Amino acid sequence: MILSRLFSPNLIKAGVASGWVLGGRVMGLLWTALLIFSLGLGDYGAYAIAYAISAIIAAPLDNIFLVRSLRVSDETFRSERATRVWVGAALLIVGCALFLPSFIVGFAFIVAGGEILFNSVKSSFLRDGHPNVVMRYDAIRQAASVAIAAAYLFTVPDPRLEMTVALYSIPYVVVLVMAILQGRGSRAAVPGSLREMLLLWFDAMALALYLQGDVLLLGILTNDEVAGAYSLVSVVALAASAFAQMFVHTYHERLRSAGGNPGVGPKPAVTVVISVLLGGAVLVVGLVAMALGNEENVGAVLVAMSFFVVLRSTSLVLTTILYVQHRDGHRVAAGWIAGAVKLGLLTLLAFAGLGALGAAFASIVAELVLVIWYSRVVYSWSPELSLTSPEKTEQPVRLLPPIVEGWPR
C-alpha cells in the first residue's frame, strides 16, 4: 500500500515535471552567465528589463485564460483558447513592429505575445492534468532559443544584443504556427464576464506584487548585496515548492468533474507530507551552507525559508483547488492582504536591521495568512456550490470567426 502511494501516477507525473523545471532553471542560469560573459552586465541589464516588461504585460492578461481553462466546459475552453491565440498573435505583431524603433520594448512585446501563444498550445495538457508534458514543452522551447542565440554569441567576434534577442525569439514563430493549427476551426469568445476578468487580472497583479515586491523593497531599504542574497534564497524556495504545484496539477480533470470537491483532490495528509519533505530538503541545504560559511548569511536565510517552503507548497495546492471552485474573490482578497502584510512587516524588520532574515520572516507570516484563509475557504465547499458554478450555465460569447474557416476542430 505504501509503495503504491509512493509510486502513484500523480507523484510520478509531478516528479517528472519537477525534473523538467529543474533542467530549465539550470539552463536559465547558464544562459544568464553566457549573456554576461559575452555582452557584459549592462546589456544583460537591458535584457532583464525587457523580460520584466514582458511579464508585466503578459501575466495579468494570460491569467484570465489560465484560470478559466482549468474549470470551464470543453466547448468554452476551445473558444477561449482561440481568443488567447488572437491576443498572443496581436502582441507578437506589435513587438515585431516596435523592434527597430526600440528593440527592448519590441522584444518585451514579442516575448509577451510568444508566451501567451505558447501557453495556449500547452493549455490542453495542463487542463487534462499532465504538467510533465507542459514542463517538457517549456524546456524544449527554452533550449531551442538558447541554442540559436548561443550559436551566434560563440561564432561572431563582436555580437550585439539586438541580434541576440532577435535570434532568441525565433522559436516563437514555430509556436505561432502550432497555436494556429491547434485552434483551427474554433470561434473566439470572451473569457467570462467583465467582473470575472477584472478579478483574475487583479489576481495576477497581486501575485506579482507578492512574489517580486519584496526583493525590490529590500533593495531600496538595504543594499544590493542583501537583496541579492534574499533573491537567491527565494529562487531556491520557489523552485522547491514547484513540486507541490506540479502534483496538484495532475488532479485538474478530476476536480473539474467533481465541481471543485476537495475530497477528490490530493488528500490533506499527503499534501502535508509532501510540503514537509520539500521544506526539509531546503532546511538541509541551509544547514550545509551555514557549516561551509557564506556571505550575507545565505545559509541562515535558507534555514528560515524552509518553513516558508512548507507553507508555500500547501498554499499552491489549495490555490489550484480554489481555481476550480470559482472562488476568485477570496484568492484576490487574500493575495492583496498577504502582500500588504508581507511588505509592511518587511519594512519594519529592515529598519530594525534584520535584512534578508527579516524578509524571510515576513514571507513566512504572509504565507501563513494565505494557508489559513485558503484552508477555511477550500474545505467550506458543498455540493450546492458546484450546482451554481458558472460553468453549468454559461455559453461562450463569440467574438471573431474561426481562426481558419472550415478547418476541422
Side-chain angles (χ1 to χ4, degrees):
M1 178 66 71
I2 295 177
L3 286 177
S4 64
R5 289 183 178 179
L6 287 176
F7 296 99
S8 69
N10 301 91
L11 284 174
I12 291 173
K13 282 183 181 181
V16 172
S18 296
W20 285 112
V21 170
L22 178 61
R25 291 185 183 277
V26 171
M27 192 183 310
L29 290 173
L30 293 175
W31 171 238
T32 297
L34 177 60
L35 280 176
I36 295 173
F37 176 79
S38 302
L39 301 174
L41 191 59
D43 277 356
Y44 173 73
Y47 171 86
I49 289 172
Y51 246 96
I53 296 172
S54 74
I56 293 172
I57 296 170
L61 287 173
D62 199 52
N63 190 57
I64 299 169
F65 299 101
L66 167 64
V67 174
R68 285 184 56 80
S69 71
L70 304 181
R71 64 195 191 193
V72 297
S73 65
D74 289 340
E75 180 186 0
T76 302
F77 164 70
R78 287 192 296 268
S79 297
E80 294 181 4
R81 184 177 60 184
T83 307
R84 207 174 188 178
V85 173
W86 282 108
V87 171
L91 291 175
L92 191 65
I93 293 170
V94 170
C96 292
L98 293 175
F99 192 84
L100 289 179
S102 173
F103 79 92
I104 292 180
V105 176
F107 180 57
F109 272 88
I110 288 172
V111 172
E115 286 300 311
I116 289 177
L117 286 167
F118 199 28
N119 288 338
S120 76
V121 171
K122 298 178 294 183
S123 58
S124 60
F125 297 109
L126 189 62
R127 172 181 168 83
D128 294 338
H130 303 299
N132 51 318
V133 179
V134 173
M135 294 301 109
R136 185 175 75 231
Y137 271 40
D138 273 338
I140 292 172
R141 199 284 306 160
Q142 186 179 27
S145 291
V146 169
I148 295 170
Y152 166 74
L153 292 175
F154 279 123
T155 56
V156 175
D158 187 23
R160 297 179 61 83
L161 179 60
E162 295 90 331
M163 182 58 68
T164 302
V165 298
L167 293 172
Y168 184 91
S169 305
I170 285 178
Y172 287 126
V173 177
V174 179
V175 169
L176 173 62
V177 175
M178 292 174 64
I180 292 174
L181 291 176
Q182 190 181 63
R184 63 189 183 273
S186 297
R187 188 184 296 272
V190 176
S193 65
L194 177 60
R195 176 182 177 277
E196 185 179 18
M197 286 190 284
L198 287 174
L199 271 174
L200 296 177
W201 188 89
F202 278 107
D203 177 31
M205 289 301 295
L207 182 61
L209 176 66
Y210 183 75
L211 294 180
Q212 302 298 329
D214 51 359
V215 176
L216 296 175
L217 183 58
L218 194 62
I220 293 171
L221 297 176
T222 57
N223 56 60
D224 292 343
E225 288 73 21
V226 173
Y230 176 71
S231 178
L232 175 62
V233 172
S234 295
V235 169
V236 174
L238 292 174
S241 307
F243 179 89
Q245 189 173 35
M246 299 304 105
F247 175 62
V248 71
H249 281 344
T250 64
Y251 287 87
H252 282 165
E253 192 170 12
R254 192 182 305 177
L255 284 165
R256 187 169 58 252
S257 299
N261 182 359
V264 304
K267 301 299 181 186
V270 175
T271 298
V272 170
V273 170
I274 290 174
S275 300
V276 170
L277 289 175
L278 294 172
V282 175
L283 175 63
V284 170
V285 174
L287 292 174
V288 171
M290 289 179 67
L292 295 176
N294 48 84
E295 296 182 3
E296 298 296 341
N297 295 320
V298 168
V301 181
L302 273 169
V303 170
M305 287 292 279
S306 64
F307 295 96
F308 168 83
V309 171
V310 175
L311 294 169
R312 183 65 182 167
S313 300
T314 304
S315 71
L316 286 171
V317 172
L318 297 172
T319 298
T320 300
I321 299 174
L322 286 173
Y323 282 157
V324 184
Q325 289 183 348
H326 297 258
R327 315 292 278 277
D328 299 326
H330 284 282
R331 286 189 300 100
V332 174
W336 281 100
I337 290 173
V341 169
K342 183 179 188 179
L343 297 182
L345 187 56
L346 185 154
T347 301
L348 293 176
L349 295 175
F351 281 124
L354 292 181
L357 271 175
F361 181 73
S363 296
I364 293 169
V365 173
E367 201 65 34
L368 182 60
V369 170
L370 290 181
V371 170
I372 293 174
W373 190 321
Y374 288 173
S375 297
R376 292 176 62 87
V377 176
V378 164
Y379 295 105
S380 68
W381 180 92
S382 65
E384 290 75 17
L385 287 175
S386 66
L387 292 176
T388 59
S389 167
E391 182 185 347
K392 303 296 181 180
T393 57
E394 71 175 345
Q395 293 295 326
V397 180
R398 306 300 185 183
L399 279 174
L400 297 168
I403 294 177
V404 179
E405 185 69 48
W407 283 22
R409 187 172 294 177

